Every structure is written in C-alpha cells, then in structure tokens.
C-alpha cells in the first residue's frame, strides 16, 4: 500500500528524470491527471496545476528531454509488489497511434485496424508503441506501466518486446510470468525469454506444430528419429495421450477444462522444453474474441500448477483496459505533435500520469458520480477526479515546482 511519503518521493524522482523543461513537463503530468474534463491537448493547460500558457505544452515536447534509462529504473522501483508467494504477471502488447493525414511526419508505418466492418483494406498509417505493464488482479485498468517504446519502421514489435524485457527484468522480483498474445507466437522470442530467467505463457496460433521427445533408437539402419509424436492444435487426430486433464470452474463459476502435454518441443529449438495447454470453455460464444477452445504454451517450471497458470491468462485483458484508459481519459492519441521523438516524450508523460494515479489510489479519495455504486471499486479516472478536488494539496507536495528561473518550457 502506498503512503503520502512514497508518493512524494516518486514525484521527486520523476522530476529529476527531466534534464530540460523540468517544470513544464511536470506541470503537464499534474494537469493531465487533474483536468479530467479535457478533450483536447491544449485543454490540459486549463488545470490549476498548469502554471503556463497553452503554447508551453507544445514547447515542452519540442525542447524538453527525458532520461529514459533513469525513468525505467524509477518506474520499476515503485512497482506495487505482489503478495508473498504470488506471481507477478507481466503483459506485453503493441498499440497504434493513427496519423493518416500527417503525411510529413517521419517514420510512419502501416497499421492494421481492428474491429472494423468488413472492407478490402482495414489499414491506416501512424506510429506503433510497445508497452510492458504489470497486470492487475482481478482484471481491470489498474495496470502499472513499466516501459513504453516506439516500434520504428526498421524493427518489429517482437524485437522491441525482447529488448524491453531485457532492460526491465533485472529490476523485477524473481517470480515473473510474461503473458503473450498470438502476435508474439515466435520461436526466437521464446528462446530469448528462456535466457532471461522469466517464465512465459503465450497464446498459440492453430497451425503450430510441437513434438514429443524422440523415441529410443530401434537399431535399424538409417538415422534415428529426432522427434517423437506430433501435436498440432488444428489437427484433432494429434491430440492423443495428454499428460493430464482438469475439469472445474473459473473465477465466475463457469465450467472450464484444461488439458496439457508436457515435455514438448519445436523442431527449430529442440532444447526448449515446453508444456502445451488446451483450455475449453463451453459457455463461450465461439466468436473471434471469445473462442471456446484456446491453446497456450508454457515455458517455465514443468512441475508448476499449469491449471492455475492457464486460467491466469485472462489477466492479460487488463492491458486492453489500460490502453483504453490511456487513450480515452489521458488523451494519449490527441496531441498533433510533429515528430516521432516528440510523441515518444508525450507517451512517457502519459505512462507517468497513469502510474501516478495507481500509486495515489491509496492516498486520494476517489470521487464517485451520483449514479455510481459505492460497492464498485473506483477506476483510475475517478481517482483523477479526487485529485482535482484537492489540487491545493497537490501543489504543496514536493515535486511541484514554481521556480522563477524555470518558468519557461525550454
């Protein structure tokens, strides 16, 4: 649980991450959290905690600088730790920032548009950002952002995710499970993660092929077999001889069945010992986002309770809620900044504001609307509304600066 002293120190440390335009960038964080009625980037300047004119917002991201390495260390240091004996669940995903009309902006890439009506080309152009978050239990938007990086045109989201994990994992506790969606179904990434001393639960594509260990040599002529029996999710004929089956209910008391095959491998990396899991949910609608049958790979302790691990994949959907909060309430997509470097700074500010609210939820009383139930847990946005009501207290907290020599953004 966070107290006011921890929050003060967090603000001090974040302030020191800004080599240039310290006050303007820090005012932007406070304004972003407290001006919850803002619907555009300049409206953030209307917060009582933003001491400059609206034009200073753009100047701050043109002239300001952020020490990304130091910021990464600080965000990991203040990460809310899981309870003793529990896993820390880490999610990785990529989200697009559409800029279809910004033809002069550098390094835009083609981005697939999800959830559109059927059309020939569901594609837009813009920037893509890869985000590493600590997932909340139960599933909610109370995620905690550990790192956020832009996926440049010369690389891929998978390569950026591996780099982010390599940078972040040294600051994390020992018991870490990295949860990956089907977009990260990659032998290369699995092998890299196995060298980072983290355990991985990844969702599989249906055309994946796994094999059991090779049978002993028969003594006949020819090269002995290198692989055993095949297992492929889309081929029911290969789903023979599982190592275990569990039938029970999920957290909402709905029936679920988990089947697993231990000590499997892929041909491209036979040294990688994995467990393949199948989760069947009879109550599902069997649509694209709610399948009845899902397949996963577990890369970690082969003696772990794979049933609870498989059911824990649902925590990954909290990252989607976190993205929605960042885009709808923290205006992540709104600023029309000209260069990708400026938008990278803005993305770091959004991440800091997001984490600030996570740390402040034990200190600030959330403001509920008249029609909201008091039994319902408050959201990050309602926590921001609570910060607005006590803005005079925020102004007194260390980390909120008003030095005359730092009045301008640059």
């Amino acid at each position: 649980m966070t107290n006011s002293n921890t929050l003060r120190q967090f603000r001090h440390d974040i302030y020191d991450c800004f080599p240039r335009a310290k006050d303007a960038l820090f005012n932007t964080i406070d304004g972003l959290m407290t001006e919850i009625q803002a619907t555009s980037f300049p409206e953030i300047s209307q917060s009582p905690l933003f001491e400059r004119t609206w034009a200073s917002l753009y100047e701050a991201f043109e002239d300001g600088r952020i020490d990304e390495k130091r910021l990464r260390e600080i965000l990991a240091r203040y990460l809310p730790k899981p309870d003793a004996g529990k896993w820390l669940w880490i999610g990785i995903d990529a989200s697009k920032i559409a800029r279809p009309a910004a033809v002069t902006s550098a390094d835009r890439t083609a981005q697939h548009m999800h959830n559109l009506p059927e059309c020939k080309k569901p594609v837009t152009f813009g920037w893509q950002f890869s985000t590493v978050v600590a997932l909340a239990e139960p599933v909610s938007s109370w995620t905690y952002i550990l790192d956020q990086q832009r996926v440049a045109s010369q690389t891929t989201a998978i390569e950026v995710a591996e780099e982010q994990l390599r940078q972040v994992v040294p600051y994390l506790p020992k018991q870490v499970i990295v949860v990956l969606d089907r977009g990260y179904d990659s032998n290369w990434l699995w092998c890299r993660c196995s060298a980072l001393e983290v355990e991985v639960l990844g969702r599989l594509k249906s055309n994946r092929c796994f094999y059991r260990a090779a049978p002993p040599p028969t003594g006949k002529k020819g090269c002995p077999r290198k692989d055993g029996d095949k297992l492929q999710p889309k081929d029911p004929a290969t789903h023979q001889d599982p190592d275990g089956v569990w039938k029970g209910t999920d957290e909402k008391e709905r029936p679920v069945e988990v089947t697993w095959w231990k000590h499997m491998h892929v041909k491209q990396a036979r040294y990688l010992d994995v467990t393949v899991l199948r989760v069947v949910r009879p109550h599902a609608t069997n649509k694209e986002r709610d399948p009845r049958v899902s397949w996963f790979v577990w890369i970690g302790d082969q003696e772990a309770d794979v049933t609870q691990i498989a059911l824990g994949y649902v925590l990954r959907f909290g990252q989607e809620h976190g993205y929605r909060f960042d885009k709808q309430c923290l205006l992540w997509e709104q600023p029309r900044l000209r260069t990708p470097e400026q938008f990278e700074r803005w993305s770091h500010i959004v991440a800091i504001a997001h984490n600030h609210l996570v740390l402040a939820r034990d200190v600030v009383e959330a403001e509920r609307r008249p029609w909201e139930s008091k039994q319902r847990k408050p959201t990050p946005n309602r926590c921001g509304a609570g910060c607005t009501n006590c803005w005079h207290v925020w102004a007194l907290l260390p980390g909120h600066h008003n030095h005359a020599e730092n009045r301008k953004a640059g």
Side-chain angles (χ1 to χ4, degrees):
M1 179 177 292
T2 306
N3 56 39
S4 58
N5 291 330
T6 303
L7 193 58
R8 286 192 187 96
Q9 190 59 49
F10 174 77
R11 290 167 65 82
H12 273 305
D13 292 343
I14 290 296
Y15 183 81
D16 291 337
C17 288
F18 305 147
R20 292 180 61 184
K22 287 176 177 286
D23 286 355
L25 290 172
F26 203 89
N27 280 175
T28 304
I29 296 171
D30 284 345
L32 184 59
M33 290 190 299
T34 57
E35 192 64 23
I36 62 172
Q37 300 300 324
T39 58
S40 66
F41 186 54
E43 287 183 83
I44 297 173
S45 64
Q46 300 304 298
S47 169
L49 298 184
F50 194 85
E51 303 164 326
R52 293 156 179 78
T53 61
W54 67 269
S56 298
L57 280 169
Y58 285 95
E59 289 182 22
F61 293 99
E62 290 174 4
D63 303 333
R65 295 293 182 271
I66 298 177
D67 186 337
E68 295 184 7
K69 183 177 184 296
R70 185 169 184 175
L71 176 61
R72 191 180 302 116
E73 294 173 358
I74 290 170
L75 295 182
R77 186 190 312 160
Y78 289 90
L79 167 69
K81 300 298 187 293
D83 296 335
K86 286 194 173 183
W87 296 93
L88 173 63
W89 294 79
I90 299 295
I92 302 178
D93 205 353
S95 185
K96 65 182 180 302
I97 303 296
R99 287 290 182 270
V103 294
T104 60
S105 292
D107 208 33
R108 292 187 308 158
T109 56
Q111 309 290 337
H112 180 75
M113 297 288 288
H114 296 285
N115 302 327
L116 286 181
E118 292 186 6
C119 56
K120 292 183 179 179
K121 295 182 179 180
V123 173
T124 188
F125 293 89
W127 298 311
Q128 188 179 36
F129 281 81
S130 178
T131 311
V132 181
V133 304
L135 299 169
E137 293 188 64
V139 178
S140 70
S141 54
W142 287 108
T143 56
Y144 185 90
I145 300 175
L146 290 164
D147 191 47
Q148 198 146 254
Q149 293 185 23
R150 186 174 64 87
V151 181
S153 58
Q154 67 270 21
T155 186
T156 65
I158 291 178
E159 292 173 336
V160 172
E162 187 273 334
E163 180 183 1
Q164 289 177 293
L165 282 175
R166 185 159 34 84
Q167 294 170 340
V168 168
V169 165
Y171 304 108
L172 300 180
K174 293 299 182 182
Q175 290 185 307
V176 175
I177 296 180
V178 179
V179 189
L180 303 174
D181 200 1
R182 281 183 297 188
Y184 295 87
D185 184 345
S186 163
N187 293 335
W188 179 84
L189 182 60
W190 294 352
C191 293
R192 292 288 183 135
C193 288
S194 67
L196 292 176
E197 298 184 356
V198 296
E199 305 190 88
V200 176
L201 177 65
R203 193 171 176 186
L204 295 172
K205 297 177 181 178
S206 61
N207 60 353
R208 263 293 182 175
C209 289
F210 293 89
Y211 299 87
R212 290 191 179 274
T218 60
K220 297 181 180 180
K221 292 183 179 180
C223 180
R225 291 179 60 182
K226 295 181 179 179
D227 306 296
D229 294 335
K230 177 181 176 181
L231 173 65
Q232 188 173 33
K234 70 177 182 180
D235 185 1
T238 65
H239 303 172
Q240 305 299 322
D241 303 322
D243 291 304
V245 179
W246 175 87
K247 294 182 180 181
T249 57
D250 59 14
E251 73 282 356
K252 295 184 179 180
E253 302 300 324
R254 297 173 300 191
V256 62
E257 177 182 301
V258 181
T259 309
W260 59 89
W261 293 259
K262 290 188 175 183
H263 304 297
M264 308 294 290
H265 66 265
V266 292
K267 286 186 176 181
Q268 297 81 358
R270 291 187 173 91
Y271 69 90
L272 199 61
D273 192 17
V274 307
T275 296
V276 180
L277 303 107
R278 180 183 65 195
V279 178
V280 180
R281 301 179 304 129
H283 60 274
T285 60
N286 210 29
K287 295 182 179 179
E288 182 179 0
R289 287 183 171 270
D290 189 27
R292 287 200 182 98
V293 180
S294 301
W295 289 81
F296 303 94
V297 63
W298 167 246
I299 307 171
D301 182 5
Q302 294 295 296
E303 303 306 318
D305 186 353
V306 292
T307 299
Q308 295 305 314
I309 290 170
L311 297 179
Y313 182 84
V314 70
L315 297 176
R316 198 209 73 83
F317 298 105
Q319 187 159 12
E320 306 294 340
H321 299 312
Y323 273 141
R324 187 178 299 112
F325 170 67
D326 291 342
K327 292 184 176 183
Q328 294 180 354
C329 301
L330 296 183
L331 310 180
W332 187 19
E333 293 180 301
Q334 289 298 321
R336 295 300 182 253
L337 299 169
R338 289 179 292 181
T339 69
E341 292 76 19
Q342 293 174 18
F343 205 92
E344 287 170 10
R345 294 180 200 120
W346 166 247
S347 297
H348 288 310
I349 295 299
V350 170
I352 293 169
H354 181 123
N355 290 351
H356 198 309
L357 291 173
V358 173
L359 296 176
R361 63 177 167 176
D362 296 327
V363 179
V364 176
E365 183 177 356
E367 180 189 277
R368 301 179 187 273
R369 294 186 176 96
W371 56 85
E372 291 183 328
S373 171
K374 294 183 179 180
Q375 304 303 318
R376 181 184 178 188
K377 292 184 178 180
T379 64
N381 194 37
R382 292 296 89 206
C383 183
C387 296
T388 304
N389 292 335
C390 58
W391 70 268
H392 58 286
V393 177
W394 285 84
L396 296 176
L397 283 175
H400 187 83
H401 298 263
N402 189 22
H403 303 302
E405 64 272 20
N406 292 325
R407 291 291 290 178
K408 60 181 181 179

